[in-house]
Amino acid sequence: MRKTYINGTGCLSAQKTFDTVFLEDAEWNKNDNVLFLKKPVYKDFISPIASRRMANGIKNGIVASAYAMKEANVTNVDAIITGTGMGCIEDTEKFLKAIIDNNEEFLTPTAFIQSTHNTVGAQIALTMQCKGYNFTYVNGAISFESGLLDAKMQIEENEANSILVGGVDENGDHILSLFKLAGYIKEDRKEPYQLLNETTKGYIHGEGACFFVLENEKKESTYAQLVDLEIKNVLQEDEIETEIIDFLKLNNLEISDIDAIILGFNGDVEFDSYYKNLAENAFANTPQIYYKHLCGEYNTASAFGLWTGSKIIKTQTIPELIKSNSIERPAYNTILLYNQLNGKDHSFTLISK
């Protein structure tokens, strides 16, 4: 069975994660409960005429994928796989508002056409004239992992040599107001938001676009090997440790073999206990990393987590800003990522040098 390598990454987030080495320009915003993406210069990647008609999520996906492909030194791929939780929510809101405001008459179709979840993957394909397999997964908080698993299986089974896979989600005004109403997002005026050791419900919301070029061969640009991936819809808190031990055993590993664990803490006191139990027990002697204080929580935030893990393996450094304990290792060769959202959609991702 062929191995899967991460040969290029492109990440747009609430931090300046493009045109930098690894979080050297990152700033922790403790005062806002919604984090917005730091925009690149779109005209460097997309013509201003085309860009004018595109929603932010589409533009972010095109730019992130361009960065990933440039790093991997490829001009085209065999397949494009996208994961998204909410799709192009800005255009969805725009179209629904137009329906109401215009009394269901005289509607322009642009916003509707561009509101579908698969628009990002389609626009990336049009940009590079890729006529291969193009698929979009909309699976809540495992949307990105579903795409990652699909890509890994295709490379292992020799169906593709080079695949672009990513996760994209954008903020929308109306959906944010609904999330706040539902209590998903932390209450306004409750800052500073510390993320770790929070005592209130809700999380800091964010948006982002992260893409990866997965290939069947190791190159100079290689970040890491994508070793294995597992998805579970529902798990109880007391089942997580056993699940991880079994997952590692499948790959001939034990907890002591893990050089660092990346946990998806998001500040929600109700569900962060899933991570806290692991941090205080099974992985008490392992370097621990968290990242959602920098990018916020959204359905495909775990893509930012994979970008973080890939950077750690390649640079062999962990920036102080993402350390949640002070334990260090002489080398970071094997990293485990664990993510869940609201107690559901659990994913375990294993990468190695």
Side-chain angles (χ1 to χ4, degrees), residues 128-166:
M128 69 170 83
Q129 290 298 299
C130 173
K131 297 177 175 66
Y133 177 93
N134 196 318
F135 206 87
T136 299
Y137 285 91
V138 188
N139 279 4
I142 50 169
S143 299
F144 170 66
E145 285 83 353
S146 299
L148 206 58
L149 190 58
D150 184 351
K152 187 175 184 297
M153 287 165 65
Q154 287 198 46
I155 287 172
E156 285 177 352
E157 298 301 322
N158 207 16
E159 289 180 19
N161 298 320
S162 180
I163 299 178
L164 182 69
V165 57

Side-chain angles (χ1 to χ4, degrees), residues 307-319:
W307 176 83
T308 303
S310 302
K311 284 281 188 181
I312 289 169
I313 287 178
K314 189 164 189 177
T315 63
Q316 288 295 299
T317 57
I318 303 177

Side-chain angles (χ1 to χ4, degrees), residues 223-241:
Y223 278 79
Q225 182 193 341
L226 178 61
V227 180
D228 202 1
L229 181 66
E230 187 177 287
I231 297 167
K232 294 277 182 177
N233 180 239
V234 180
L235 284 171
Q236 301 304 315
E237 276 186 50
D238 57 2
E239 294 176 323
I240 301 295
E241 188 178 324

Side-chain angles (χ1 to χ4, degrees), residues 11 21 34 37 116 145 150 153 184 217 227 230 238 254 275 284 322:
C11 183
V21 178
V34 177
L37 181 140
T116 57
E145 285 83 353
D150 184 351
M153 287 165 65
Y184 292 153
E217 59 180 34
V227 180
E230 187 177 287
D238 57 2
E254 296 177 3
Y275 305 117
I322 57 172

